[in-house]
Amino acid sequence: MKKTFSKSKNSLKLTDNSRIAIIGGGPAGAFFAFYLLKLAREKKLNLSVEIYEGKYFSRSGPPGCNYCAGVISETLIEKMEKIGIALPQEIAQSRVEGYYMKTIKGGLLLTHPLKRNKIATVFRGNGPLFSNITKNISFDDFLLREATKMGAKVYYERVNSIEIPPNLESKTILRVGNNNKYVEADLVVGAFGLNTNLMEKMKNMGFGYKPPKTLKTFQTEIKLDSEFIKQKFGNNIYIFNMGIDNLRFVAIVPKGEFLTLTLVGKKDVTFSQLKKFLNFPHMKEMLPENWSFPLQHCHCLPRIATTPAKKPYTNRLVIIGDASCSRYYKNGIESALITASLAAEAAINYGISEENFKHEYYKKAKKIIVDNYYGRLLFYFNDFISRFAFVVESHLRIGLSKGYTSTLLKNILWNMFTGNIEYKRIFFRTLNPVLQISMLSSIFLTIWINLKRRLFERNKTIIDKNLSKKIPLTLSYRKMSSEKNLKSLKNGSVVVIIGGGPAGCGCAIALKKLSRMHGKNIEVVIYEGKIFEGERQFNQCAGVLSPPIKEILEKELNIDFPHNLVQRTIVGYILHSDLNSILLDGQSEPSYAIRRIKFDEFLLNQAAKLGIKVINARMVDLEFLSDKVIVYSENGNTKADMVVGAFGLDDGSAKIFERVTPYRQPRFLSSIVTKVHPGQEFMDKFGNRIHAFLPSFKEIEFGAITPKGNHLTINIAGERITSDSMDKFLDYLPVKEELPPGIETLKEKMDYFKGKFPISTAQGMFGDRYVIIGDAAGLIRPFKGKGVNAGIITGIKAAYTMIEVGISKGAFQKFYESCDDVLEDLPYGRLVRRLAILFSNFKLMPSILEKAKNDAKLKEALFDCVSANRNYKEIWRNTISFKTILEILGAIGNSFLNKTSS
């Protein structure tokens, strides 16, 4: 029910020729004058509106500035346009496209959800001190001119004092200017902001006004080359949120040839904090090289309100803008427009008594005040989070990914920075359960990754420091000089590669081609103990070449892809669990099923054509001397400058390296491979898809049936598999359904070949004059290897290192760092592997496959896992959202309920 006022108080209304005196010609005063006169015209009410302002905003520097960063929000521009004020292009210094948040763990660019760029940057006065601006670009002066166009009069005089009338009939009296001119007004509007002593004078008048609590910020203008600003900052506002001392955040706003820096703290900010921030490494990299802070510069210490004022009104007097209430740390100009509009509507439509302003102005403006409580909570949480690097890293991980939670988090941050929506709405968006679960999971993942990284670094340091104590080395290796004479390979250098598989051949071919490009004659020797020609021996492998193998061969090694070796083009996969299966056809390039023995023979032949010496013999020993390495083999020895280990997981070669170097083999899974020839008719019906299996029995982690030209290759993998495991797999019902009839009879004629593949990186994989590559180094994707691709790529990277960097341990550290894509993927791969084992062993996989049939994201993730199309880090961050995880858990729960009910 609407409150009614007494007759005497209701009699305080604006009438024809009423005089309104506005103290302050900043945005609040100009907006009030403009909107009041606009409403008065609609009411056919003739008013005299006078604005008293002590500054000329058309001046540059502090004499014309109202001390503000000058960011005009999208919502403010819309509100201005709604009342009839359009921001001219010449006033806007730039149009903001995004906010770039810089944290202690990296950066995140935030752009408008609808790709708009309506946010503008302005100068409140006519540019900074010492600027050479010739035209009037002042935002505040523009607003004053708009108010005068509507009929307001501006007097550039200061108000010295205010006298509140002793009774309702008397008017409010102002004393103005140097002569204390007497001004009598029906209504006085306080739009004087926070940087004035008028607040204290109002407080002492006895009507109950209590000014807001304020905080001193620091603001300065940095003049730089406009092209530099454009290239470095673009049209983005930079927010530094790094938990630095007392600083809550620092905003950098580009404006033509100036950067406006605003430092906001939890306490008053000082000049010394500005100097400290400018020397902060993350800030120094944003400034020109050798730049120093100029002695002559424009700066100010503006105050911002941290609480609202109490009772900013009485009879014939109302206070608006910052001196009344404004949004917490945000959008002071927009708050000025809101409070000015509410006060103008109250004065025109209801009256100018204390009761009128209380109910029709202040109670409505309290929406800002209530919203600020949520703002304080949000900034408190932000302060807390910014102090902990691992929490910041986990939030960035979500923000930099794709999907529902990433979009939600970025929208929250965007609205926090721009102030586009109320703090209350932002706060409740942060409570979204999917986002909270995502953040919590990301924090645990970050802690786990950092712990693994620290353990790795600590172990590496211990190994490096105590190597001679812990690992018995040959005398010759310990005597070696660490860096002397170990620069890049030169004319006449000899490199021996142990192993003629993809890694060894890739390294050899790259070495030969690179050395010729550099005008060097380097002898490359490959030792390979197996004879591939005539299919007498082969590498135990399913024999599937996956993308981008063609690109690797053709662009990196200049070798035409051997299409004649392709036995079948693989177009997709069928993933089976105990009771369910799903067709997985991706959008990537096809894979190629080949005979590994033929492919390895092809690569060795390509190497031989380039003049690379291939010796069909096994290495039996190594000897490291101060100036060379001697490689002993079954048919002689070779003196080399450098030895490359590309021997896969061959135990004999590994033991030799382990005896004479710090090298230690990676952990591995065992594998068994066999094949069956079911006849051409069956092969034609089988199709061009690989069948992958995740059985629920523990010793087999996964298995596959791969179609080749005239046979099926069957392989399984696990930590403790045996021939019995393969027999069990062949009897597994989902497998039997895909194999030809009579498999029991065929089993007796099938040969089993045992191999292994790595699931971790090797220790000591490089040192002076040696490096280990491919499977032997464990530098392949975990769980799903792409071993051929990884072997060739690591071989090429090692070749580049030897030719362009050197052959010392320090040089190969660069090689190791260049493999960061594999190293970073290891924790994610292990996580996927453990989840696959868990879901399979607990018979949960059928429910997940069923869920994937109707969930495009989950289906895509399964395809990428099975095909090795993308790395696990990408899959986890970009494909599997925590919403999907919740839905998977729901599907599993329904499965349990169904089983229970049945």
Side-chain angles (χ1 to χ4, degrees), residues 234-393:
N235 290 324
N236 300 313
I237 293 174
Y238 274 64
I239 305 292
F240 283 75
N241 185 16
M242 295 185 165
I244 308 169
D245 295 342
N246 171 50
L247 294 182
R248 206 155 213 173
F249 64 85
V250 179
I252 303 178
V253 182
K255 300 176 186 175
E257 60 180 358
F258 286 92
L259 293 176
T260 300
L261 266 70
T262 304
L263 284 72
V264 181
K266 301 167 194 173
K267 300 177 183 177
D268 289 351
V269 181
T270 62
F271 181 73
S272 62
Q273 284 176 293
L274 169 69
K275 296 294 291 266
K276 187 175 180 181
F277 175 73
L278 290 174
N279 286 316
F280 191 57
H282 290 81
M283 182 58 199
K284 286 184 79 172
E285 67 185 23
M286 303 298 295
L287 295 168
E289 194 174 354
N290 300 322
W291 179 88
S292 59
F293 193 60
L295 292 175
Q296 289 188 321
H297 59 276
C298 187
H299 74 274
C300 57
L301 287 89
R303 292 189 172 275
I304 58 172
T306 57
T307 66
K310 288 186 178 178
K311 201 172 183 290
Y313 54 85
T314 186
N315 296 318
R316 298 188 185 276
L317 174 67
V318 63
I319 300 169
I320 60 175
D322 288 348
S324 173
C325 62
S326 61
R327 286 195 73 191
Y328 191 65
Y329 283 146
K330 282 288 163 196
N331 296 25
I333 301 175
E334 186 172 350
S335 299
L337 175 55
I338 293 169
T339 55
S341 301
L342 290 173
E345 288 172 355
I348 288 287
N349 297 327
Y350 298 96
I352 55 174
S353 70
E354 180 176 310
E355 287 295 316
N356 292 135
F357 286 129
K358 176 181 178 181
H359 291 279
E360 304 303 333
Y361 160 60
Y362 191 63
K363 279 196 173 181
K364 292 177 181 179
K366 265 194 169 181
K367 184 179 179 182
I368 297 173
I369 299 170
V370 172
D371 192 55
N372 282 345
Y373 291 117
Y374 293 96
R376 285 191 185 90
L377 275 175
L378 289 170
F379 276 98
Y380 172 80
F381 291 144
N382 177 73
D383 294 342
F384 179 79
I385 289 166
S386 64
R387 291 202 301 267
F388 298 98
F390 73 94
V391 181
V392 174
E393 185 180 346

Side-chain angles (χ1 to χ4, degrees), residues 68-74 76-77 96 99 119-124 139 237 251-255 260 262 330-334 417-418:
C68 169
V71 179
I72 310 300
S73 68
E74 177 184 4
L76 172 57
I77 288 173
V96 176
Y99 280 74
I119 301 171
T121 64
V122 299
F123 286 117
R124 296 289 301 274
F139 175 74
I237 293 174
I252 303 178
V253 182
K255 300 176 186 175
T260 300
T262 304
K330 282 288 163 196
N331 296 25
I333 301 175
E334 186 172 350
F417 292 143
T418 62

